[in-house]
Amino acid sequence: MEEFLTSCQRAVKLSSDQVGPGFHVVLGNEACDIDSMVSALAYAYFLSKTAPGEMLVLPLLNIRQSELRLRSDSVFLLRQAALSLDLLIFRDQLDLRALQRASRLRLTLVDHNVLPSSDSDLEEAVAEVIDHHQLEREPSPTCPVTVETVGSCATLVTERIIQKAPEILDLQLAHLLYAAIVVDCVDMSPAAGKVTPKDSQYAAVLENRFPALPPRGALFQELHKAKLDVSGLNTEEMLLKDMKAVSGSLNLSVSVLYISLQEFLQREDLEAELSGFCQKYGYDLLLLMTIFFTESKEPIRELAVFSHSTTCREQVSQYLEQAQSPALNLSPLSSPHSHISAYHQGNSLASRKKLLPIVKDFLTMWDGYGCSRDGEDEPSQVPPTPMNSLVEGSPLDNGPPRITSQALEEKFSQMVNRTDL
């Protein structure tokens, strides 16, 4: 693996925007958790050994290099597996758009099956997908898609390696894949609702082939402890640590926070920091999913919704309260902040993976009605302009289309009364 990553780094440093060989980039999702990172590293290594061609295969971590320190569990795992952090390649070290313009880019997506709207211009380069989330990609004869709702994308990558090139597996690669499966499947515990028979099958295959792997329970506990360590992080870093963005007529982020909601809500100047985060990154609303564990290791989940627009915050909150597939079983909690709605989440099995489809369905149902970005609660019939955009000659120069409060109420009533989320 080290030799492969060293050659990738060398090629990136020698690359220019217009000349040289193309790059077959294996790209994980923007959360860049252990599963996403390991899947990108392992599948790129697999392709380099089994599908040589004119394009250089390389794994790309979908975060800036400076953000790696926020992935404390990933850093712990890489060091445990004796893989140097200096060998990794990050999103801010390779210009994918320049490669795309020069027709030198091919993309394989792992641990997600559609690009976020911010990367939609790279869609033509997508040539393969391996993922374990809900399928959102339209079928295409030019893009093979492997999507199976197992607990970990690393399970599907392990399956591909075992079936096609088992000889490339060594202890280091097996360690990475095994850790990703164990972490995503919550120590392979059926009570957590993540593990599937295929996850168990390939975890056992790795255990049998490599008896020197760390004991499953100890490995999970070490990585879990490293992930929950948020000491020294400011609010912005906590939000970025494990965040996914969702875009439609509204821009939302969904962050997982590894502390209790009560502790988070007591942070000094919290609303000002959340407002600054929205302004800096262009979000209308923040969804904050907290998770912590009892002494008996039972997960406790809580949820908070932040937006300066009361209309926006209340409508998203009500939609989540009434969600049925799955039901989140939200119970309101007291919040010391006027722009934050807080809940205890009774369904502790409903992770962000299960929340995201509900959020995306809400954005679809929003259907052009939105919240204002200046904190006022007048809805708009058009998608909001990004905060960092300057638009000349806009069709809205004469003002937005007029819409009555009655029409908005009727529209929202239709949205929240739906039961087929």
Side-chain angles (χ1 to χ4, degrees):
M1 178 69 79
E2 287 88 349
E3 182 180 350
F4 164 64
L5 293 177
T6 299
S7 67
C8 291
Q9 277 210 336
R10 188 182 305 116
V12 168
K13 291 176 181 178
L14 295 175
S15 174
S16 67
D17 291 347
Q18 301 298 328
V19 298
F23 289 88
H24 181 166
V25 174
V26 181
L27 184 68
N29 65 48
E30 71 275 13
C32 197
D33 57 9
I34 283 181
D35 193 30
S36 184
M37 177 191 71
V38 168
S39 294
L41 289 169
Y43 196 63
Y45 183 62
F46 164 78
L47 289 177
S48 74
K49 296 294 187 181
T50 60
E54 294 182 0
M55 285 189 160
L56 175 71
V57 182
L58 64 84
L60 188 65
L61 303 194
N62 205 356
I63 54 172
R64 295 184 292 271
Q65 185 177 21
S66 61
E67 295 174 6
L68 178 63
R69 78 178 195 91
L70 306 181
R71 276 65 177 179
S72 50
D73 52 344
S74 296
V75 171
F76 182 92
L77 174 61
L78 291 169
R79 288 174 174 162
Q80 188 182 56
L83 187 61
S84 172
L85 306 181
D86 295 333
L87 296 178
L88 304 176
I89 304 171
F90 299 87
R91 185 64 188 264
D92 54 345
Q93 295 176 324
L94 187 64
D95 191 339
L96 297 184
R97 287 177 174 79
L99 292 172
Q100 170 80 337
R101 290 192 297 268
S103 300
R104 296 172 54 211
L105 179 65
R106 177 186 176 95
L107 279 177
T108 288
L109 306 183
V110 292
D111 205 23
H112 62 319
N113 62 82
V114 291
L115 290 166
S117 59
S118 57
D119 283 336
S120 60
D121 53 331
L122 301 175
E123 176 58 40
E124 290 185 1
V126 178
E128 186 181 9
V129 170
I130 300 179
D131 188 27
H132 69 130
H133 295 91
Q134 177 177 298
L135 179 61
E136 299 178 73
R137 172 169 291 274
E138 295 295 329
S140 166
T142 61
C143 179
V145 173
T146 300
V147 171
E148 187 174 344
T149 53
V150 292
S152 172
C153 186
T155 295
L156 303 178
V157 175
T158 302
E159 179 182 47
R160 187 72 60 92
I161 293 173
I162 292 294
Q163 291 179 350
K164 302 292 185 181
E167 68 279 1
I168 74 169
L169 269 175
D170 59 14
L171 179 59
Q172 183 184 63
L173 181 56
H175 188 157
L176 295 173
L177 290 165
Y178 184 64
I181 296 171
V182 168
V183 167
D184 253 27
C185 295
V186 195
D187 200 16
M188 318 307 288
S189 170
K194 294 286 194 71
V195 66
T196 70
K198 180 170 284 191
D199 298 299
S200 298
Q201 174 189 350
Y202 283 101
V205 168
L206 293 172
E207 289 170 338
N208 292 333
R209 289 196 57 177
F210 298 95
L213 285 171
R216 178 188 296 179
L219 178 62
F220 175 78
Q221 289 300 327
E222 290 172 336
L223 291 170
H224 183 64
K225 181 179 179 181
K227 184 170 187 174
L228 297 183
D229 183 9
V230 294
S231 57
L233 298 186
N234 60 35
T235 298
E236 178 177 341
E237 290 171 332
M238 290 182 68
L239 295 174
L240 291 173
K241 178 178 171 67
D242 193 353
M243 184 191 82
K244 289 190 178 181
V246 187
S247 297
S249 55
L250 301 174
N251 295 321
L252 289 77
S253 73
V254 186
S255 295
V256 178
L257 308 176
Y258 299 97
I259 59 175
S260 72
L261 186 55
Q262 180 182 14
E263 182 180 353
F264 184 73
L265 294 179
Q266 291 174 349
R267 293 177 72 91
E268 188 175 356
D269 298 324
L270 180 62
E271 280 210 37
E273 291 186 328
L274 295 180
S275 297
F277 185 85
C278 289
Q279 180 70 30
K280 181 176 181 178
Y281 295 99
Y283 293 119
D284 301 293
L285 183 139
L286 307 179
L287 288 176
L288 313 171
M289 299 189 74
T290 71
I291 182 169
F292 61 99
F293 294 82
T294 65
E295 292 184 0
S296 59
K297 300 180 182 179
E298 293 296 322
I300 303 296
R301 291 188 183 272
E302 296 162 318
L303 184 67
V305 184
F306 169 81
S307 177
H308 272 294
S309 167
T310 303
T311 301
C312 183
R313 184 177 63 258
E314 289 183 350
Q315 292 189 8
V316 170
S317 297
Q318 188 172 352
Y319 201 74
L320 296 177
E321 289 173 16
Q322 299 192 11
Q324 295 298 316
S325 183
L328 302 177
N329 300 334
L330 299 180
S331 304
L333 296 174
S334 175
S335 171
H337 304 284
S338 59
H339 296 103
I340 300 177
S341 300
Y343 298 93
H344 171 76
Q345 182 179 310
N347 182 357
S348 62
L349 300 182
S351 63
R352 180 175 58 191
K353 178 182 175 182
K354 297 180 179 179
L355 176 69
L356 284 173
I358 301 174
V359 174
K360 292 174 181 178
D361 199 41
F362 172 82
L363 291 179
T364 299
M365 296 297 295
W366 184 261
D367 194 24
Y369 292 89
C371 356
S372 69
R373 292 173 176 261
D374 57 6
E376 297 178 1
D377 294 323
E378 295 181 2
S380 167
Q381 197 178 22
V382 296
T385 303
M387 285 183 287
N388 59 353
S389 297
L390 296 176
V391 181
E392 296 181 1
S394 167
L396 303 184
D397 285 346
N398 295 323
R402 294 186 60 82
I403 178 171
T404 67
S405 59
Q406 180 181 0
L408 178 62
E409 291 173 1
E410 290 176 354
K411 180 68 177 179
F412 183 58
S413 176
Q414 295 172 2
M415 293 165 59
V416 299
N417 286 333
R418 284 176 57 97
T419 59
D420 57 341
L421 289 178

